[in-house]
Amino acid sequence: MNTTLRRPSDIYSPLYFLASLGSGGLVVTFFMYLLFWVPHKDKPVPTFENLMAIFTTENLTLQVAIVIAMTGIAIFSFLNIRLLIWNFRALSNFAQTADFQNLRASNGETTLLAGPLASAMTINALFIFGLVFVPKLWTVVEYLFPAALVAFLAIGIWALNLIGAFLGRVLTKGGLFDVTANNSFAQLLPAFALSMVAVGLAAPAAMSNSSVTVAASLILSTFFGTAAILYTIIAATTAFTSMLQFGTAREAGPTLMVIIPILTVLGITFLRQNHGMHSSFDAHTSTGETMIFLARLLAVQILFLLLGVLVLRRQGYFNDFVFGKKTSPGSYALVCPGVALSVMLSFFINKGLVATQIITKFGLVYWSLTGLALVAQFLMIALIVILNRQHFSTPKLGRKFLPAE
């Protein structure tokens, strides 16, 4: 079959939900500018009114940063929603094919968890978009929090149903899970989805003034966060054993770094929970404890980044699947670690180093460290552009690509 003039995305894989996820993650990176640079003493997060107040001052630098952030949030929110809708339409068509049934009978069944993962990210991105662009949104936010809890809980139930279908199939009968094909961290995708649900459920704990809403947020986010941790430990242990025996699956190499976004999302979940415990239930965590907590998460992330880059370079992954003539939907998994590191660095710098007064906010050291987060963000924007061009535009004559498995 001649596929040289077809788009790679014409051969569908649920991993294309990661294209939507990556754009949603970039929305969060732009929001970091506003969260940590714009004063918002009256609220836990900056809103449209806080941003507009800056334009009445003479702080031109901050005004430029706000314009850049708002532009980035608008562009990547649009891409996030557009790609999510495209994926649901493509998945609906894919579900009518024999390839879908084959997927449901293989290890690849867990790729369906990319759907709830991306959907949960879209709700987070839409909330950010509302904060930034909708005037007086904060006046009705206490009505939005219960609705958000219901929405995230629905996505969480969807994710649990998919996980249950997979585990119910492979655990009730032997021989239905291919251990030789488990030589990557691809099976951590369910854990990633559960952690994204958890961080969404934890948001009201950090922002609501209702003790009932905060309590519901704490309990629900704890359930999904705990489930994510357990699944991560089990799936990572079995996968690493398989990788030691069979080597890392080349096309799934980017999954080696999926631990990075899982830790960022869970880290933010715990920070939100701590804020809710402090504001509603008088339970306190010191700034020093927060700093060392974030430092530990960042240390693990850096170690997995080094491991992932080492393996991908040895395998020549970037030369083939990013800058070469081959394409794979799994390449979008490369966006998540860069986005997650950018966000984690922003929290570590501001909630860790600045909060403990180790460095001065907006000082030389501050901008030097923040520059690392900005570089990671810029690289992921470039990567999204490259991958979207590769997968969603008609390739030039003679271009090769790998069919989605």
Side-chain angles (χ1 to χ4, degrees):
M1 181 176 63
N2 181 13
T3 60
T4 56
L5 293 180
R6 296 178 61 189
R7 300 183 309 169
S9 56
D10 289 339
I11 299 179
Y12 184 70
S13 166
L15 290 177
Y16 277 118
F17 273 106
L18 299 181
S20 173
L21 175 71
S23 295
L26 285 171
V27 171
V28 179
T29 63
F30 280 105
F31 187 66
M32 292 296 100
Y33 297 10
L34 310 179
L35 180 63
F36 294 121
W37 300 350
V38 176
H40 50 92
K41 294 182 180 179
D42 54 333
K43 305 178 190 72
V45 289
T47 62
F48 175 83
E49 288 74 22
N50 297 124
L51 305 184
M52 293 303 102
I54 298 299
F55 289 94
T56 64
T57 70
E58 297 181 358
N59 193 335
L60 180 61
T61 302
L62 187 54
Q63 291 172 9
V64 171
I66 290 174
V67 171
I68 294 173
M70 293 179 73
T71 302
I73 289 170
I75 291 173
F76 287 102
S77 293
F78 171 77
L79 285 176
N80 168 256
I81 296 171
R82 179 183 178 184
L83 288 167
L84 186 70
I85 293 173
W86 176 89
N87 268 283
F88 277 120
R89 289 175 176 171
L91 179 61
S92 178
N93 294 330
F94 179 61
Q96 310 305 317
T97 67
D99 288 338
F100 178 76
Q101 299 305 321
N102 293 333
L103 181 74
R104 294 296 298 263
S106 70
N107 292 14
E109 184 177 6
T110 53
T111 61
L112 294 172
L113 270 297
L117 171 61
S119 299
M121 173 58 82
T122 295
I123 296 179
N124 288 317
L126 286 175
F127 184 68
I128 290 174
F129 185 90
L131 288 175
V132 172
F133 289 102
V134 179
K136 298 183 179 180
L137 180 69
W138 202 256
T139 61
V140 297
V141 75
E142 290 295 347
Y143 299 99
L144 296 179
F145 287 143
L149 288 175
V150 171
F152 280 113
L153 182 59
I155 294 174
I157 293 172
W158 174 22
L160 289 174
N161 282 333
L162 291 174
I163 294 171
F166 171 71
L167 293 180
R169 177 175 63 82
V170 301
L171 294 180
T172 53
K173 294 182 180 179
L176 296 181
F177 185 79
D178 187 355
V179 178
T180 64
N182 191 37
N183 52 338
S184 71
F185 279 166
Q187 292 302 320
L188 268 67
L189 189 58
F192 193 4
L194 292 172
S195 65
M196 189 64 71
V197 171
V199 76
L201 288 169
M207 293 180 274
S208 177
N209 291 320
S210 167
S211 59
V212 174
T213 301
V214 171
S217 173
L218 288 171
I219 294 169
L220 290 172
S221 62
T222 296
F223 173 82
F224 282 95
T226 301
I229 293 171
L230 288 174
Y231 205 106
T232 298
I233 294 172
I234 296 171
T237 302
T238 57
F240 202 77
T241 301
S242 186
M243 283 188 283
L244 289 175
Q245 185 174 357
F246 302 105
T248 303
R250 190 162 184 264
E251 191 175 349
T255 64
L256 286 174
M257 296 182 286
V258 73
I259 292 291
I260 297 173
I262 290 175
L263 287 178
T264 290
V265 172
L266 288 176
I268 296 173
T269 299
F270 298 141
L271 290 179
R272 287 175 168 180
Q273 289 180 334
N274 286 340
H275 190 279
M277 291 292 291
H278 166 72
S279 61
S280 296
F281 303 109
D282 201 31
H284 303 282
T285 301
S286 70
T287 55
E289 290 172 324
T290 299
M291 181 191 69
I292 198 64
F293 167 69
L294 294 173
R296 288 167 179 163
L297 294 183
L298 189 58
V300 177
Q301 289 178 316
I302 292 173
L303 291 172
F304 274 95
L305 175 67
L306 295 174
L307 174 64
V309 171
L310 171 67
V311 174
L312 291 174
R313 289 188 63 185
R314 290 284 184 91
Q315 292 181 331
Y317 187 92
F318 295 101
N319 292 334
D320 283 345
F321 293 98
V322 179
F323 304 111
K325 293 183 178 181
K326 296 180 180 180
T327 61
S328 169
S331 297
Y332 279 100
L334 290 170
V335 179
C336 302
V339 166
L341 275 175
S342 178
V343 173
M344 178 57 75
L345 280 169
S346 295
F347 273 95
F348 176 66
I349 294 165
N350 291 276
K351 292 294 187 179
L353 300 180
V354 173
T356 53
Q357 300 181 352
I358 292 176
I359 65 173
T360 303
K361 191 167 186 177
F362 302 139
L364 179 60
V365 176
Y366 179 90
W367 286 118
S368 299
L369 295 174
T370 300
L372 297 175
L374 297 179
V375 168
Q377 179 195 41
F378 175 80
L379 291 175
M380 294 309 101
I381 293 173
L383 182 58
I384 281 282
V385 171
I386 291 172
L387 294 178
N388 284 351
R389 184 182 298 122
Q390 288 179 351
H391 289 265
F392 292 97
S393 61
T394 302
K396 296 179 180 179
L397 184 64
R399 183 178 180 81
K400 300 177 182 179
F401 66 91
L402 291 179
E405 296 183 355

